[in-house]
Amino acid sequence: MKRHWITFLFALGSNLVFAQTNFKFRPAAHSHNDYEQQKPFEKAYSLGFGSIEADVYVQNGELMVAHNREDIKPERTFRKMYLLPLLVNLRQHEGYPYPGHHKVQVLIDLKDAEAIDLLQKMLKDHKMELQKVDFVLSGNMPKPEDFNKYDKILSFDGRRNITYSAENRARVPLISADFKEFSSSGWDGTTPLSTEVENKIKTFVTQAHQNNQKTRIWGTPNTVLAYQTLQRLGLDYIGSDDLDKLAEILN
């Protein structure tokens, strides 16, 4: 079985490994709404995104990539769409997912609570190879007091309104928030943010960084001004559904 996997991985390699001369790593870029991309992993990876998101359900004992259960398609498995391409590129780049010894965060939105056990088993089979990939779980997560029941190959996406013990905080490398937590009126990304909202975001970033945690805000607009504003305010990850536009801005 293992030999079959290796053969399959290297058969994929020629299609998934890009020319290093054209590569630019964009550590702050986060690929959101992977299900809207024709090639979810490959698109974000080719643009050097530092964080790539996958929404997963469990169906027939397999992790399936989809935003809604009714959108599940048999061929869209997490193993095929994310894990196998990662393993290919780890073997091409001296144990790192990207050339130049750059790591990547894979943010996995658990749509089913039982997905965590299936994911853990899958990843533990390749634990030594995946040391330079940060798997951060979001969505249907366990309670903070249960974090240490899971293998350390998995970490968790924290929330700003939760107080974590020092032990639990060690498993939370990322703190995420909905933009609505900073502004109830929303933002279309075509006009500047108020000083009040900017200061709230700056405080969020500062507090997270004091705890050695990175930051992400979801629900932000896909506009040039929005990307530039979030970058200026110090967000570690800037999410986008328009990957090419974000990549251009982060150049």
Side-chain angles (χ1 to χ4, degrees):
M1 182 65 178
K2 187 173 182 179
R3 181 177 298 176
H4 171 71
W5 265 58
I6 294 173
T7 302
F8 183 44
L9 286 173
F10 281 96
L12 284 174
S14 60
N15 294 323
L16 295 172
V17 179
F18 51 82
Q20 293 189 25
T21 55
N22 298 324
F23 174 71
K24 181 176 178 62
F25 182 54
R26 297 175 173 87
H30 172 74
S31 175
H32 182 240
N33 289 353
D34 62 294
Y35 50 88
E36 292 187 353
Q37 309 299 326
Q38 187 174 5
K39 294 184 177 181
F41 175 84
E42 288 89 338
K43 178 66 173 180
Y45 180 82
S46 69
L47 292 170
F49 274 41
S51 180
I52 302 174
E53 184 172 341
D55 293 2
V56 298
Y57 288 90
V58 176
Q59 181 172 280
N60 299 327
E62 185 66 79
L63 280 180
M64 310 301 297
V65 178
H67 186 59
N68 298 300
R69 187 172 293 278
E70 58 268 25
D71 297 328
I72 292 175
K73 298 179 181 178
E75 70 277 9
R76 293 174 67 86
T77 69
F78 179 80
R79 186 190 306 274
K80 178 181 178 181
M81 297 176 68
Y82 289 85
L83 180 58
L84 292 181
L86 272 171
L87 291 172
V88 168
N89 287 287
L90 289 167
R91 293 170 182 176
Q92 291 285 334
H93 303 126
E94 301 176 324
Y96 285 81
Y98 284 122
H101 290 183
H102 296 296
K103 298 175 68 175
V104 70
Q105 171 182 273
V106 179
L107 183 68
I108 303 173
D109 189 340
L110 304 173
K111 298 298 185 180
D112 292 328
E114 62 268 29
I116 189 171
D117 294 320
L118 188 57
L119 178 66
Q120 177 174 248
K121 183 178 185 301
M122 183 186 302
L123 297 182
K124 283 179 71 175
D125 288 342
H126 302 277
K127 188 172 181 177
M128 293 302 295
E129 293 175 279
L130 294 169
Q131 293 182 63
K132 304 302 181 182
V133 180
D134 296 325
F135 292 97
V136 181
L137 305 187
S138 190
N140 214 324
M141 295 178 285
K143 296 177 181 179
E145 56 266 31
D146 292 331
F147 285 172
N148 284 329
K149 294 179 181 179
Y150 296 93
D151 192 276
K152 290 186 177 180
I153 197 171
L154 302 175
S155 56
F156 301 91
D157 181 20
R159 296 292 178 264
R160 63 193 289 261
N161 59 347
I162 296 178
T163 301
Y164 297 95
S165 68
E167 182 182 22
N168 294 333
R169 191 168 62 240
R171 300 293 297 273
V172 182
L174 174 69
I175 297 289
S176 297
D178 188 340
F179 182 78
K180 294 177 182 177
E181 296 176 37
F182 305 97
S183 173
S184 59
S185 60
W187 182 35
D188 65 4
T190 63
T191 57
L193 285 175
S194 69
T195 300
E196 180 185 4
V197 174
E198 286 203 359
N199 286 338
K200 288 180 180 179
I201 294 175
K202 287 179 182 178
T203 299
F204 165 58
V205 172
T206 298
Q207 290 175 343
H209 288 177
Q210 288 173 346
N211 290 323
N212 295 315
Q213 294 166 316
K214 293 185 177 182
T215 54
R216 176 181 71 104
I217 296 177
W218 75 81
T220 54
N222 291 295
T223 67
V224 171
L225 178 61
Y227 301 149
Q228 292 173 336
T229 301
L230 296 173
Q231 186 177 34
R232 175 171 55 80
L233 295 176
L235 265 291
D236 297 282
Y237 293 112
I238 300 170
S240 179
D241 303 333
D242 189 336
L243 307 192
D244 290 307
K245 182 189 289 187
L246 178 59
E248 182 178 355
I249 295 303
L250 294 183
N251 277 340

